[in-house]
Amino acid sequence: MLKIYKTDVAGKTNEINQFEKGYWINLSTPSNDELKKVSQLCNIPIEFLEDPLDLEESARIQYDEETNCTLIINDFPTIDASNHQFDSYITIPIGIIIGTDYIVTVCNQSTNLLENLIKKNVNTSMKIRFALEILLSISMQYIEKLKLLNKQRLKIESNLRDSLTNKQLYDLMEIEKSLVYFLTSLKANADVITKLFRTNSIKLYEEDKDLLEDVKIENNQGIETTELYTRILNSITGSYSSLISNELNKTMKTLTLFTVFLTLPTLVFSFFGMNVTLPIEDKDPFSWIITLIIALILVIWIGLALWRKRIF
């Protein structure tokens, strides 16, 4: 889908239908024809438009001297569509192309990230400032999604105190996976932000530098928050793994004790049930009582020995 936006003299961003200088072109899930059209009309290398559509593309900044275009690729968080039972997140790339006359954004799916910028009425003619606004919105998206993940973690943690189920453990795994995506992408985005401070292809004014500094601060906050939540989650999963192992050990210990106490009488009864001469008379009416007493004494003796060793 191809959409073109322009900021009017009143400062309002509107969608238009024609290509003109100073406009913002947004491509979401574009077709090959749309990519070729934008590449030809805006004098942008076709690979600058195609690279951000690759989900495995890493965050980076690239400059093309022939067309005087700068490509900025950043990762931003989005809902994992493959998981229908839990709101986990992945990160996908978005491309920001700063050309001589246009600014172009490319992504393989539509996102409310850019729609929110339209509501803020950013100035599309100020291409570098607009690109920095997009980067700032991406960093703020991470902070917002991290808060949602933390709320989900707290809810799962409160439920774990009452009962432990496989679903809760799977949900914690999804949160951990989301945090891994976030941390990897935020660190890659941080490298891009650092390069923007010293790149020669983008001229930054003082206000732009201040805005870029805000982007860096928000991104670093996202990295620190993600690392904190990752450590907390690892601590929780480690603690509950220990609890599960402890409960399993208690269960096995109980079953072992039952086995021991049930085995001892069986051995006694089996011994006196053999078809051989024994010290007890076969026709003695109290022979079965004597057998029970021997079994009971043996059980009590073993029980006392285990109790002294604090086995139970």
Side-chain angles (χ1 to χ4, degrees), residues 59-309:
R60 70 176 194 275
I61 181 171
Q62 183 177 346
Y63 176 67
D64 183 72
E65 295 182 357
E66 185 176 347
T67 58
N68 194 27
C69 290
T70 301
L71 169 65
I72 303 172
I73 298 180
N74 257 28
D75 294 330
F76 73 95
T78 184
I79 290 286
D80 185 3
S82 62
N83 191 349
H84 303 289
Q85 299 179 352
F86 188 81
D87 288 341
S88 60
Y89 298 90
I90 59 173
T91 56
I92 62 174
I94 181 172
I96 307 168
I97 305 166
I98 304 174
T100 305
D101 302 316
Y102 298 90
I103 181 168
V104 182
T105 53
V106 189
C107 187
N108 72 342
Q109 72 177 45
S110 58
T111 170
N112 58 0
L113 173 70
L114 300 177
E115 295 174 359
N116 293 335
L117 288 174
I118 298 174
K119 296 177 182 178
K120 290 174 62 176
N121 294 323
V122 293
N123 193 339
T124 58
S125 61
M126 301 176 67
K127 299 186 295 295
I128 296 176
R129 182 78 54 81
F130 181 41
L132 296 178
E133 288 283 356
I134 296 175
L135 297 180
L136 181 61
S137 296
I138 292 174
S139 299
M140 295 176 67
Q141 279 275 314
Y142 279 104
I143 302 297
E144 179 183 343
K145 303 305 181 186
L146 283 168
K147 291 179 180 178
L148 294 176
L149 285 174
N150 192 48
K151 287 181 179 179
Q152 293 178 354
R153 179 190 63 79
L154 292 174
K155 183 178 179 181
I156 295 171
E157 186 178 353
S158 63
N159 294 332
L160 280 173
R161 295 173 182 173
D162 300 327
S163 62
L164 182 64
T165 63
N166 287 338
K167 182 181 182 306
Q168 293 168 338
L169 294 177
Y170 287 139
D171 291 344
L172 287 176
M173 288 171 56
E174 290 296 330
I175 294 178
E176 186 175 10
K177 183 185 74 173
S178 300
L179 292 176
V180 171
Y181 272 111
F182 282 13
L183 187 59
T184 303
S185 297
L186 282 167
K187 288 184 176 180
N189 291 351
D191 294 336
V192 173
I193 295 171
T194 302
K195 290 178 182 178
L196 285 173
F197 277 103
R198 59 174 184 263
T199 184
N200 296 323
S201 61
I202 297 178
K203 184 178 180 181
L204 297 175
Y205 297 96
E206 286 301 321
E207 293 184 359
D208 298 332
K209 292 180 180 179
D210 292 339
L211 184 56
L212 184 56
E213 190 66 35
D214 292 339
V215 176
K216 182 179 180 180
I217 292 173
E218 290 291 334
N219 194 82
N220 289 340
Q221 182 182 348
I223 293 175
E224 294 173 359
T225 305
T226 305
E227 290 177 340
L228 173 62
Y229 289 168
T230 301
R231 289 195 296 269
I232 293 174
L233 190 60
N234 290 336
S235 176
I236 292 173
T237 52
S239 298
Y240 278 100
S241 296
S242 299
L243 289 175
I244 292 172
S245 299
N246 189 36
E247 291 295 328
L248 180 60
N249 290 337
K250 288 182 178 180
T251 302
M252 296 302 298
K253 180 179 178 181
T254 303
L255 292 175
T256 302
L257 290 174
F258 271 116
T259 303
V260 170
F261 288 128
L262 291 175
T263 302
L264 292 174
T266 303
L267 291 174
V268 174
F269 299 149
S270 300
F271 176 76
F272 284 98
M274 292 187 296
N275 190 20
V276 295
T277 302
L278 297 173
I280 302 176
E281 294 291 335
D282 296 340
K283 297 181 180 180
D284 189 345
F286 298 102
S287 58
W288 65 275
I289 297 178
I290 297 174
T291 305
L292 288 176
I293 292 174
I294 294 174
L296 183 60
I297 292 173
L298 190 59
V299 169
I300 293 174
W301 178 65
I302 294 297
L304 289 174
L306 294 176
W307 178 74
R308 287 180 179 178
K309 293 185 176 180

Side-chain angles (χ1 to χ4, degrees), residues 13-40:
T13 304
N14 302 303
E15 184 178 354
I16 58 175
N17 298 320
Q18 69 272 12
F19 286 84
E20 290 188 19
K21 295 182 179 180
Y23 288 8
W24 166 34
I25 302 170
N26 181 32
L27 292 166
S28 58
T29 60
S31 62
N32 291 330
D33 293 337
E34 289 173 337
L35 293 176
K36 293 178 181 178
K37 180 179 179 181
V38 172
S39 175
Q40 293 173 358

